[in-house]
Amino acid sequence: MKASPTLTNNLQAVLADLIELHVQGKQAHWNIVGTNFRDLHLQLDEIVDAARQFADDTAERMRALHALPDGRSATVAETTSLAQFPEGLISTADAIERIVAAMEAAVGTMRKVHDEVDEEDPTSADLLHEFIARLEQFAWMVQAENMKPSAKVTAADSK
């Protein structure tokens, strides 16, 4: 099978976001400071590793379909849907918000292109399903660092 221009463009959009997510994850990893530094530092590496693998899977799928992936930095910077990550040191709380937003943007791109991808190549759509599930799980886990509990627990509750 040979990818149509539409399938190529859709997978390229996913690829650009995944590469940018990888880069932003490392930027955050290197420059976070504050509460729960170590936990977030380690979580970011998990996200980076997954984003890098997902980008590689996407690019290799494109090549299998005779499409040409473009992972050059200029292409990624011009085409990603992710907001630019800030320069300098960033608090863990702010980094969490930024990285969750980046994962949600990448997932948003995947959901946006999904139906067209699925129509032409269900195998590529299956990859998107895996990526979406994992990134949404990461977003939930990382965002939990900034969430406030809603349950009121008292000493009487522990009996």
Side-chain angles (χ1 to χ4, degrees):
M1 175 182 161
K2 186 171 181 174
S4 71
T6 298
L7 180 58
T8 298
N9 291 339
N10 285 335
L11 292 177
Q12 178 61 42
V14 170
L15 178 62
D17 280 0
L18 289 169
I19 292 170
E20 182 65 16
L21 179 58
H22 158 253
V23 171
Q24 287 192 19
K26 284 313 277 188
Q27 183 69 17
H29 172 86
W30 296 321
N31 291 296
I32 55 169
V33 293
T35 306
N36 295 328
F37 163 82
R38 181 164 169 69
D39 289 337
L40 182 57
H41 187 77
L42 296 173
Q43 281 180 309
L44 287 167
D45 265 346
E46 290 178 43
I47 294 165
V48 165
D49 289 346
R52 187 178 336 179
Q53 184 61 57
F54 298 163
D56 191 54
D57 291 345
T58 302
E60 289 183 357
R61 181 69 190 150
M62 290 175 74
R63 289 302 300 131
L65 298 172
H66 307 282
L68 299 176
D70 188 349
R72 296 174 299 159
S73 57
T75 300
V76 171
E78 290 171 10
T79 62
T80 186
S81 70
L82 280 60
Q84 186 174 15
F85 199 83
E87 178 182 354
L89 295 178
I90 185 168
S91 73
T92 51
D94 289 342
I96 287 166
E97 294 305 317
R98 293 290 190 137
I99 290 300
V100 167
M103 287 188 284
E104 289 174 346
V107 166
T109 296
M110 292 175 204
R111 289 187 181 281
K112 178 180 164 190
V113 303
H114 175 272
D115 289 348
E116 286 183 341
V117 170
D118 191 39
E119 188 175 302
E120 184 171 343
D121 182 36
T123 303
S124 293
D126 287 347
L127 288 176
L128 297 181
H129 295 154
E130 292 175 35
F131 303 164
I132 289 167
R134 191 69 175 125
L135 289 174
E136 287 178 340
Q137 182 183 37
F138 278 132
W140 157 61
M141 290 181 164
V142 172
Q143 194 167 37
E145 294 275 346
N146 281 354
M147 295 178 76
K148 303 289 184 229
S150 60
K152 303 280 187 208
V153 179
T154 65
D157 294 333
S158 62
K159 292 183 182 182

